[in-house]
Amino acid sequence: MSALDMLATELATGAVEVVDLTHTLDPDFPVIVLPPEFGQCARFRMEEVSAYDHRGPSWKWHNISMSEHTGTHFDAPSHWITGRDQPNGAVDEIDPANFVGPVCVIDCSQGAAQDEDFELTPQVIADWESEHGRIPADSWVLMRTDWSKRSGAEYLNMREDGAHSPGPTPEAIRMLVEDRQIRGFGTETVGTDAGQGMHYTPPFPAHHRLHGAGRYGLQCLSGLDRLPPTGAILLAAPLKIRNGTGSPLRVLALVPGKDRT
Ligand code: 23J
Ligand code: MN
């Protein structure tokens, strides 16, 4: 039997399950807030075109608008200045083979519950690897913080000095990109970088290093507590926006079902 025949059977029996890692697009879902001198990210908006009425008697539909970086979304290399000259750096240019692949999940939820500025460090990665094995090249690495369970003001967690949310240190992201050669890095927070990530050297080290190396980001992921540490397959295909720097998307994972033997 081919791998795809086996997959079809396991999907049908529930031996493989599909998990949705996406927040619902909604005008109330927070977007990143930058200092006021910078341009700002737009929230999701939806207007009714018709709803089985005089504007369209048999149909209902909406016009929608948002930023490329609204809600659960993908970051392409061209999003950051370090990635501006990367080949195939826009969402419409990326080889779709990159949209399906293995994923490692590093559980930082206990640390993030104690410390809203919790840092993913090389030591945290080393501890994870001593339990689960070395992170394979070309895999996604997701940082679980359970931040997706927060809502409203708690999600951005803004204070006078800016947002406070967990993220990777410059050395951790260097290790993942250069030593582990990961495909991309994803978080449950509003950015791949910590809320206070502008204070690192370089500022926003995840954006700086990932995109400078032609790698990808995922942000505002939901429900990473439903993924195993290893062994799942991530499906994350951004919209094909010409020269797009990112895109809202539906992120799915294929995971071993509860009834697997
Ligand atoms: C622009 C500037 C800084 C950041 C971001 C965007 C994001 O997090 C994003 O959505 O890519 S940190
Ligand atoms: Mn983004």
Side-chain angles (χ1 to χ4, degrees), residues 25 29 31 41-44 66-73 247-248:
L25 283 168
F29 192 79
V31 295
C41 183
R43 289 185 180 228
F44 179 74
M66 71 207 85
S67 166
E68 295 171 330
H69 298 262
T70 300
T72 301
H73 72 275
S247 153

Side-chain angles (χ1 to χ4, degrees), residues 32 34 69 73 75 79-80 190-194 204 207 211 219:
I32 192 166
L34 298 178
H69 298 262
H73 72 275
D75 276 6
H79 178 41
W80 217 252
V190 79
T192 45
D193 276 294
F204 305 111
H207 285 80
H211 305 321
Q219 290 122 93

Side-chain angles (χ1 to χ4, degrees), residues 35 161-163 193-205:
D161 61 350
D193 276 294
Q196 293 287 296
M198 78 289 264
H199 299 302
Y200 287 125
T201 307
F204 305 111

Side-chain angles (χ1 to χ4, degrees), residues 48-66:
E48 202 172 81
V49 181
S50 73
Y52 331 115
D53 55 22
H54 69 282
R55 298 168 299 176
S58 300
W59 52 92
K60 176 177 172 178
W61 52 351
H62 302 110
N63 288 329
I64 59 173
S65 67
M66 71 207 85

Side-chain angles (χ1 to χ4, degrees), residues 60-190:
K60 176 177 172 178
W61 52 351
H62 302 110
N63 288 329
I64 59 173
S65 67
M66 71 207 85
S67 166
E68 295 171 330
H69 298 262
T70 300
T72 301
H73 72 275
F74 184 103
D75 276 6
S78 67
H79 178 41
W80 217 252
I81 190 167
T82 49
R84 65 191 295 173
D85 296 324
Q86 279 290 325
N88 306 316
V91 282
D92 60 317
E93 301 168 328
I94 297 169
D95 180 343
N98 290 299
F99 302 151
V100 181
V103 57
C104 298
V105 182
I106 303 181
D107 182 5
C108 300
S109 59
Q110 288 191 354
Q114 304 292 316
D115 177 4
E116 57 194 17
D117 297 306
F118 178 83
E119 293 177 310
L120 175 66
T121 61
Q123 187 61 53
V124 174
I125 298 168
D127 290 347
W128 185 93
E129 287 188 330
S130 69
E131 197 175 341
H132 303 291
R134 188 178 166 95
I135 294 167
D138 207 23
S139 33
W140 281 100
V141 172
L142 306 183
M143 179 180 178
R144 172 185 164 195
T145 55
D146 290 349
W147 216 256
S148 61
K149 299 183 192 308
R150 293 184 172 221
S151 60
E154 300 271 281
Y155 189 70
L156 293 184
N157 203 25
M158 291 296 283
R159 304 233 215 84
E160 261 176 36
D161 61 350
H164 287 264
S165 55
T169 65
E171 183 54 25
I173 206 78
R174 190 209 62 74
M175 174 182 176
L176 292 173
V177 170
E178 292 183 8
D179 301 342
R180 298 298 181 271
Q181 293 285 322
I182 62 166
R183 179 181 299 185
F185 177 74
T187 65
E188 291 183 87
T189 55
V190 79

Side-chain angles (χ1 to χ4, degrees), residues 22-42:
T22 318
H23 282 288
T24 302
L25 283 168
D26 180 294
D28 291 334
F29 192 79
V31 295
I32 192 166
V33 176
L34 298 178
E37 63 268 31
F38 298 125
Q40 301 294 332
C41 183

